[in-house]
Amino acid sequence: MMGLKIMKYGGKEMVEHDGDQSFIPPINFANVEDRVYRSGFPQPGNFAFLETLQLRSVIYLCTEPYPRENLEFLKSRNIRLFQFGIDGTKEPSVDILRSTITEALKVLIDVRIHPVLIHCKRGKHRTGCLVGTLRKVQNWCLSSVLEEYKIHAGVKSRDTDLKFLETYDVSYLRQCLHSVIYQYHGYGSKKRRLLSGEKTFCTNPE
Amino acid sequence: MMGLKIMKYGGKEMVEHDGDQSFIPPINFANVEDRVYRSGFPQPGNFAFLETLQLRSVIYLCTEPYPRENLEFLKSRNIRLFQFGIDGTKEPSVDILRSTITEALKVLIDVRIHPVLIHCKRGKHRTGCLVGTLRKVQNWCLSSVLEEYKIHAGVKSRDTDLKFLETYDVSYLRQCLHSVIYQYHGYGSKKRRLLSGEKTFCTNPE
């Protein structure tokens, strides 16, 4: 290997290989944020590229089981898989999107799982919905959220998804986050603990 | 301000403002790499968002002078402007693209100027060409380079740009990079210095 490391991009080393290796990102690949990526379904031909991202996790948004080769790749690189299945054979209802995407979003915003790749099949609809809700948490204005969705969905843009993004209310997620903060830092003089999934608190006797 | 810092994304703090501030990214905004961003022309309404990126530089690819408000914003935040003018009123020739984009690329790949925003007017053609050459330096396969160009150019995709990206040869740039490496680290027992723009070396007597 005549490779020569010439610089670092973020966490990744950019390696000059004198043309001996060409990287193939998955279809519809993009950086979302530093250490957060999105794409369509990765094929084995994309694994060399994915290695350069030094992923810690994958968030997978389809109902189908993860293919064996992909599972083996994740396992060999110690990458954790989070699956939140949304049926892609028909347009999901806003209600289904809301509940499943919220669960995925709770995982996505935890920086301890980054670097993370979000993907579904084509990286357009399910992935676009999850990224769009992240943008709402980041206080992006709605028109920018929808523009980004459309850039990646192209002519396949779906009205259900746009409606979902328009109406998605981040206050529930914020409530969860506040609860997590209380859990770790205490609240006032009394430490509290969030009972996951029950939306009730119990006072931690410390 | 009721804002509450809840987490960090890369270099940026994600601030929860309880809805009191909405961020408006410039049109066609995207992350290219960690600490490298692309977009259309930023308007004053986008400045609050741009602040969250903690930019050190802007690479601007139009011939028109930078607007006063934008200059003032950059100055107040100590952001350096690099302008590489490419005429947007007509499709530039492959030759013009090659020479100007190469100059811009030499600046772009220097991590000392990051975080950096690349922009032209709409973030489609000139910006797409510069990002595409960066991908070639990163050894992305050609079809992925062109797919990324098209995602952001949409229906405005230009054959000249695609031709430019297809034929762009990164070996000249790599030669420059090797020269810079020689300049900093010496080459064998003799230190060398690159005379910028002259493509000749002189032995540094040290």
Side-chain angles (χ1 to χ4, degrees):
Chain A
M1 167 93 79
M2 299 291 291
L4 172 65
K5 288 172 186 172
I6 49 176
M7 67 190 56
K8 284 190 79 120
Y9 267 102
K12 309 183 286 292
E13 269 160 353
M14 200 178 84
V15 180
E16 185 186 16
H17 286 277
D18 293 330
D20 67 353
Q21 179 167 23
S22 166
F23 291 115
I24 310 170
I27 56 158
N28 218 349
F29 174 83
N31 277 37
V32 175
E33 285 287 327
D34 298 354
R35 297 156 61 86
V36 178
Y37 309 96
R38 62 180 290 170
S39 72
F41 216 112
Q43 305 297 321
N46 308 127
F47 293 166
F49 171 79
L50 291 184
E51 280 199 67
T52 68
L53 305 179
Q54 302 183 305
L55 295 175
R56 193 174 286 173
S57 323
V58 164
I59 294 179
Y60 169 54
L61 299 172
C62 306
T63 51
E64 293 81 3
Y66 218 50
R68 187 182 51 79
E69 288 149 301
N70 294 54
L71 278 176
E72 280 168 8
F73 171 71
L74 297 196
K75 196 177 170 193
S76 68
R77 300 304 183 280
N78 209 19
I79 299 168
R80 195 166 159 193
L81 177 67
F82 297 91
Q83 182 168 7
F84 300 94
I86 299 170
D87 187 356
T89 57
K90 56 186 188 300
E91 292 194 24
S93 72
V94 168
D95 281 348
I96 286 178
L97 280 172
R98 191 177 293 125
S99 58
T100 315
I101 292 288
T102 298
E103 292 311 303
L105 185 55
K106 283 187 206 167
V107 170
L108 173 60
I109 60 176
D110 184 342
V111 295
R112 293 170 300 182
I113 71 146
H114 299 182
V116 59
L117 172 69
I118 306 159
H119 79 85
C120 51
K121 196 165 173 213
R122 288 178 295 180
K124 291 177 191 285
H125 305 115
R126 293 167 276 198
T127 298
C129 285
L130 178 55
V131 171
T133 57
L134 173 66
R135 299 311 191 187
K136 290 192 91 163
V137 174
Q138 292 180 297
N139 271 325
W140 280 32
C141 69
L142 180 63
S143 62
S144 303
V145 173
L146 301 182
E147 188 206 6
E148 185 180 42
Y149 170 91
K150 288 174 187 167
I151 284 173
H152 286 279
V155 295
K156 301 282 190 182
S157 176
R158 284 181 179 167
D159 288 343
T160 339
D161 293 346
L162 299 174
K163 180 86 184 165
F164 162 72
L165 289 172
E166 243 177 76
T167 57
Y168 189 80
D169 180 1
V170 293
S171 63
Y172 170 66
L173 184 83
R174 287 196 172 130
Q175 184 56 48
C176 296
L177 290 171
H178 278 288
S179 306
V180 173
I181 291 166
Y182 298 156
Q183 179 186 359
Y184 281 110
H185 298 294
Y187 180 67
S189 58
K190 292 186 182 169
K191 298 228 170 184
R192 283 155 185 257
R193 171 171 293 160
L194 174 67
L195 291 180
S196 172
E198 293 190 89
K199 283 191 264 176
T200 58
F201 299 85
C202 68
T203 303
N204 183 342
E206 169 149 22
Chain B
M1 167 91 82
M2 299 291 291
L4 173 65
K5 288 172 185 171
I6 49 176
M7 67 190 57
K8 284 190 78 121
Y9 267 103
K12 308 182 287 292
E13 269 160 351
M14 201 179 84
V15 179
E16 184 185 19
H17 286 278
D18 294 330
D20 66 352
Q21 179 166 21
S22 167
F23 291 115
I24 310 170
I27 55 160
N28 218 349
F29 174 83
N31 276 37
V32 176
E33 285 286 327
D34 297 353
R35 298 157 59 89
V36 178
Y37 309 95
R38 63 180 290 170
S39 73
F41 215 112
Q43 305 296 322
N46 309 126
F47 292 167
F49 172 78
L50 291 184
E51 280 198 68
T52 68
L53 305 179
Q54 302 183 304
L55 296 174
R56 194 174 286 173
S57 324
V58 164
I59 293 180
Y60 169 53
L61 299 171
C62 306
T63 50
E64 293 81 3
Y66 218 49
R68 188 181 52 78
E69 287 150 301
N70 294 54
L71 278 176
E72 280 168 7
F73 170 71
L74 297 195
K75 197 177 168 194
S76 69
R77 300 303 184 281
N78 209 17
I79 299 168
R80 195 166 159 192
L81 177 67
F82 297 91
Q83 182 167 7
F84 300 94
I86 299 170
D87 188 357
T89 57
K90 56 187 187 303
E91 292 195 22
S93 73
V94 168
D95 282 348
I96 285 178
L97 280 172
R98 191 177 291 125
S99 57
T100 315
I101 292 286
T102 298
E103 292 311 303
L105 185 55
K106 283 187 206 167
V107 170
L108 172 60
I109 60 175
D110 185 340
V111 295
R112 293 170 299 182
I113 71 146
H114 299 181
V116 59
L117 172 69
I118 306 159
H119 80 84
C120 51
K121 197 166 173 210
R122 288 177 296 181
K124 291 177 191 286
H125 305 116
R126 293 166 276 196
T127 298
C129 286
L130 178 55
V131 170
T133 57
L134 173 66
R135 298 312 191 186
K136 290 192 89 164
V137 174
Q138 292 181 298
N139 271 325
W140 280 32
C141 70
L142 181 63
S143 63
S144 303
V145 173
L146 300 182
E147 188 206 7
E148 185 180 42
Y149 170 91
K150 287 175 187 166
I151 285 173
H152 286 279
V155 295
K156 300 283 189 182
S157 176
R158 283 182 180 167
D159 288 343
T160 339
D161 293 345
L162 298 174
K163 180 88 185 164
F164 162 72
L165 288 172
E166 244 177 74
T167 57
Y168 189 81
D169 179 2
V170 294
S171 63
Y172 170 66
L173 185 83
R174 287 196 171 129
Q175 184 55 50
C176 296
L177 290 172
H178 278 288
S179 306
V180 172
I181 291 166
Y182 298 157
Q183 178 186 0
Y184 281 111
H185 299 295
Y187 180 67
S189 60
K190 291 186 181 167
K191 297 228 168 184
R192 284 157 184 253
R193 172 170 293 160
L194 174 66
L195 291 180
S196 173
E198 292 190 90
K199 284 191 262 175
T200 58
F201 298 86
C202 68
T203 303
N204 182 344
E206 163 145 16

